[in-house]
Amino acid sequence: MNETVALVATGGALIAAGTVLLLSRPLTRIVLGTVVIGNGVNLLLLSTSGAAARAPLLYRVFGPRRIADPLPQAFVLTAIVITLALTAFLSAMAYRAWQLSGTDDVQDDVEDLRVAYRAEHGEDREEHREGGARRLPMERERRARRRELLGAAEEDGQAGEGGTLRHPRRSDTHFHEARRRARAETRAHHALGARTEDETAGDDMWETILGADR
Amino acid sequence: MIAALPPGSDTGSALVALPVILPLFAAGLKLGIGVRLQRTQRVISTVVLATVLAVALVLLVDADTHGPQVMYAGGWQPPVGIVLVADRLSALMLVISSAVTLCVLLYSVGQGMADQEEGTPMSVFHPSYLVLVAGVSDTFLAGDLFNLYVGFEIMLTASYVLLTLGGTVTRIRAGATYAIVSLLSSVLFLAAVAVVYAATGTVTMAELAGRFDELPDGVAVLAQISLLTVFCTKAAVFPLAAWLPDSYPTAPAPVTAVFAGLLTKVGIYAMLRTQTLLFPGDRLSDVLMVLALFSLLVGILGAVAQTDLKRLLSFTLVSHIGFMVFGIALATRAGFAGAVFYVVHHITVQTTLFLVVGLVERRGVTTDLRRLGGIAKLSPALGLVFFVPAMNLAGVPPLPGFLGKFGLMRAGVVQGGAMVYVLIAAGAATSLLTLYALAKAWNLGFWRAAPPQLYVVGVVLDTVETDEEDSPSEQEAGGDQGGAAPGGSGAVDVDVLEGRAGTASFGGRAITTGQPPAAMLVPTAALVAFGLLFTVLAGPLSSLTARVAGELTARTPYVTAVTGR
């Protein structure tokens, strides 16, 4: 009885700890969280075999009545093997995420980002809405702003090779920072443009259905 | 060795294990062969899946005429041993799934040859795909809850690999969400198995039938809710469905197709099995009705709001799961029959549509409806293979989609009740909104005049990271892969923000061709035809689903076949 209570209590504690890990952002911590939760559930599963008894392997020695229920142990063994495989896979995925983006944080949801951009740029959207005529100057403005950002960085760090922006030196963090900022602005701009176009086009349901080949 | 067969099932029983063992064996073989002998590899995959289809057909005939077919692994009897059972439901699901997986395999072989992707992505795809098929078969055939869990795990592990094939930025991002959600539901499944075992002392489903009636209501409800939560997550029922539209669209086209067709339906199958065998009656029907209602409406409203074809279809998938849950929630023979018919129809039609979208992406570079256009004129065949399943999904008579919805609604009317009528109304509204969303897709993507860049043919676009200042067309085409992704957290690709979820090829490249390659178009057309077959054979099929439902509600044939009692 006591052993079972201890198993359940430990299992519960592990699941609680795993949940905390799971709620954090880095993928590595999430992987650890799932491992800990998995172990907690394995303990719960093990506790279903009832009171502690002899090892099932020795059933010839002790007789079938004095050995522990072997079935949950078989379940747990299988579950451990599965968890091992998944841990390996998730770790590889976390490593790949780090390779690609320099961090293994779970990324923001794309749709959420869209909504956030819309909220941030509510005023600009009104301008966009007013028609294509105004969009062109805005586009020009954006390009100018981008050149300005990158140009400043280039002068500081002499990063551009032959005037192109394609192959900046990897070590030049200053240039990277400027480019990152420029890109972020461009992204916001694109997302915004796409959204407003989309909205103005889709205002009328019948327009979308019937007026497709206009 | 197979021992102690119940009377009346002599050689049929050994067949039951083949749909699991054959794909696993072939997957091992392929891993051994590696990247060599491409042609042999293709032949092995095709032959194995064709054999599985043949076995499934034999099993269906056997199960229909002689009752459930059972195999005891290693001759161990039910309370201890692993049992594989093919009753009418399992066998029917197996037939549909193996037909669909065979077509998708042929499509992917065609795609691999067209793209000349003979190296790493393809050599990983083939074994993983076979393991996925084995996992799906195992869940359909599992006679005990723990084996069901193992089947799910085999399937999911393979699906993680398939979803992140190529390891591009978008796929890794989507894969993280998918893997974590699936993993948590698996852990919950294991806990549910522990609850069931602690309460009853067995996990064999045939033994469990009736056991919960003797237990206190609270224990039974706990077990039922835990299992339902797990299966609702797998099946993407409304509050647990948010992972699906974010993760599916990024995978290679054949992978998305087979996931959309099969993986969610495996959850529905598990719900059908446990709700009929373990927890008969309508204890949680009201809850399921509400879930079905929200799935239907929230899913389809999501689909209406989308501008990307793949995301749109993913949302219709979530929505139409609601129809099947509605059938299960009715908990009557007619309700189950309607749900099974709908599952059969939906597996086929959803897979077909995603395969077609893969072809559309190859023609038009993108699946963003705002940039597509004129596909029907550029490639009439592609227009046809999209239009027919699209109308089928929306439920235009006399296509099977209409028959499935009609069967469910009739089952609802027969039962009556305020909630049921609300659901029938919601179902009708969902059908109309599906029609609206797909008509929008058709008009924007296929019917209107094509934008100029779509006339460019035969370009294979590479994965070089394009700079924003390049020409607009090149910018659209730039892959979102690239080893030199800018550092910093929260960096999101332009493409993703603008509605392009990913690219359909195995390596994550954007590839365009002129006319769709015949090797990809023919399997797609075959699936379209397979979907239409359900209208031609509606009579026999609906009487089969009625027999399936009869067997499910009776319970005794299944229990007797497994336990001999």
Side-chain angles (χ1 to χ4, degrees), chain B residues 39 104 120 124 126 176 255 269 483 549:
Chain B
R39 190 188 295 256
V104 174
T120 310
V124 176
H126 272 291
V255 173
Y269 163 82

Short mmCIF file of all heavy atoms in Angstrom, two decimals, chain B residues 39 104 120 124 126 176 255 269 483 549:
data_model
loop_
_atom_site.label_atom_id
_atom_site.label_comp_id
_atom_site.label_asym_id
_atom_site.label_seq_id
_atom_site.Cartn_x
_atom_site.Cartn_y
_atom_site.Cartn_z
N ARG B 39 14.63 2.20 -58.34
CA ARG B 39 13.53 1.53 -59.02
C ARG B 39 13.02 0.37 -58.18
O ARG B 39 11.81 0.22 -57.97
CB ARG B 39 14.01 1.04 -60.39
CG ARG B 39 12.88 0.54 -61.27
CD ARG B 39 13.48 -0.09 -62.50
NE ARG B 39 14.19 0.91 -63.30
CZ ARG B 39 13.69 1.42 -64.42
NH1 ARG B 39 12.51 1.02 -64.84
NH2 ARG B 39 14.36 2.30 -65.12
N VAL B 104 -1.67 7.59 -52.90
CA VAL B 104 -0.76 8.65 -52.49
C VAL B 104 0.69 8.22 -52.73
O VAL B 104 1.53 9.02 -53.14
CB VAL B 104 -0.99 9.03 -51.01
CG1 VAL B 104 0.05 10.03 -50.55
CG2 VAL B 104 -2.37 9.60 -50.82
N THR B 120 18.26 12.38 -50.36
CA THR B 120 17.87 12.23 -48.97
C THR B 120 16.37 12.36 -48.70
O THR B 120 15.81 11.50 -48.06
CB THR B 120 18.64 13.21 -48.09
OG1 THR B 120 20.01 13.07 -48.40
CG2 THR B 120 18.44 12.90 -46.63
N VAL B 124 14.26 9.07 -47.13
CA VAL B 124 13.66 9.08 -45.79
C VAL B 124 12.16 8.92 -45.89
O VAL B 124 11.54 8.25 -45.09
CB VAL B 124 13.99 10.41 -45.05
CG1 VAL B 124 13.30 10.47 -43.71
CG2 VAL B 124 15.49 10.54 -44.88
N HIS B 126 10.22 7.25 -48.02
CA HIS B 126 9.63 5.94 -48.29
C HIS B 126 9.50 5.06 -47.05
O HIS B 126 8.40 4.59 -46.74
CB HIS B 126 10.39 5.22 -49.41
CG HIS B 126 9.85 5.57 -50.76
ND1 HIS B 126 8.62 5.16 -51.18
CD2 HIS B 126 10.36 6.31 -51.76
CE1 HIS B 126 8.39 5.62 -52.39
NE2 HIS B 126 9.43 6.33 -52.78
N ALA B 176 7.24 21.53 -34.55
CA ALA B 176 7.34 21.67 -33.10
C ALA B 176 5.94 21.69 -32.48
O ALA B 176 5.66 20.94 -31.53
CB ALA B 176 8.09 22.96 -32.76
N VAL B 255 2.30 14.11 -48.20
CA VAL B 255 2.24 13.92 -46.75
C VAL B 255 1.01 14.62 -46.17
O VAL B 255 0.24 14.04 -45.41
CB VAL B 255 3.53 14.45 -46.10
CG1 VAL B 255 3.41 14.42 -44.59
CG2 VAL B 255 4.72 13.64 -46.54
N TYR B 269 -12.09 6.78 -35.64
CA TYR B 269 -12.26 5.33 -35.50
C TYR B 269 -12.16 4.93 -34.04
O TYR B 269 -12.98 4.14 -33.53
CB TYR B 269 -11.19 4.59 -36.33
CG TYR B 269 -11.06 3.15 -35.93
CD1 TYR B 269 -11.94 2.19 -36.41
CD2 TYR B 269 -10.07 2.74 -35.02
CE1 TYR B 269 -11.85 0.88 -36.01
CE2 TYR B 269 -9.97 1.43 -34.61
CZ TYR B 269 -10.86 0.51 -35.11
OH TYR B 269 -10.78 -0.79 -34.68
N GLY B 483 20.19 28.22 -45.45
CA GLY B 483 20.96 28.02 -44.23
C GLY B 483 21.33 29.33 -43.57
O GLY B 483 21.65 29.37 -42.40
N ALA B 549 -22.67 -0.83 -38.37
CA ALA B 549 -23.26 -0.21 -37.19
C ALA B 549 -24.01 -1.25 -36.35
O ALA B 549 -23.99 -1.20 -35.12
CB ALA B 549 -24.21 0.90 -37.62
#
